[in-house]
Amino acid sequence: MVFPHIAADSIVCRLGLGTGVYTRDISKIITGGQFHVVDSDPSAIDFLRRHLPKNQRVAFATIWEEPRPSTPTNG
């Protein structure tokens, strides 16, 4: 578990939110550093924005996977 290694002034980036339980716990620890929360699902980000305790040290971001070009076939 990484929690013992996170200090109040840590800079943490959480990729993928899962259920949000660890994200909530980490957001309570970060009081002087930065906590970047990133997920590909906009609804997950919206949910956490509504349900996490307000913390100006937490920044949310949503990423979308760009469609990959189709691979040419030899034939």
Side-chain angles (χ1 to χ4, degrees), residues 6-12 29-34:
I6 298 175
D9 62 346
S10 293
I11 298 172
V12 176
I29 298 169
I30 305 293
T31 57
Q34 299 174 16

Side-chain angles (χ1 to χ4, degrees), residues 12-17 23-24 26-27 34-39 44-45 48-49 52 57-62:
V12 176
C13 182
R14 173 130 168 90
L15 303 175
L17 304 178
T23 302
R24 183 189 64 229
I26 293 169
S27 74
Q34 299 174 16
F35 185 26
H36 302 272
V37 179
V38 182
D39 199 280
I45 294 291
L48 283 177
R49 279 189 175 130
L52 278 182
R57 302 292 182 176
V58 178
F60 296 94
T62 304

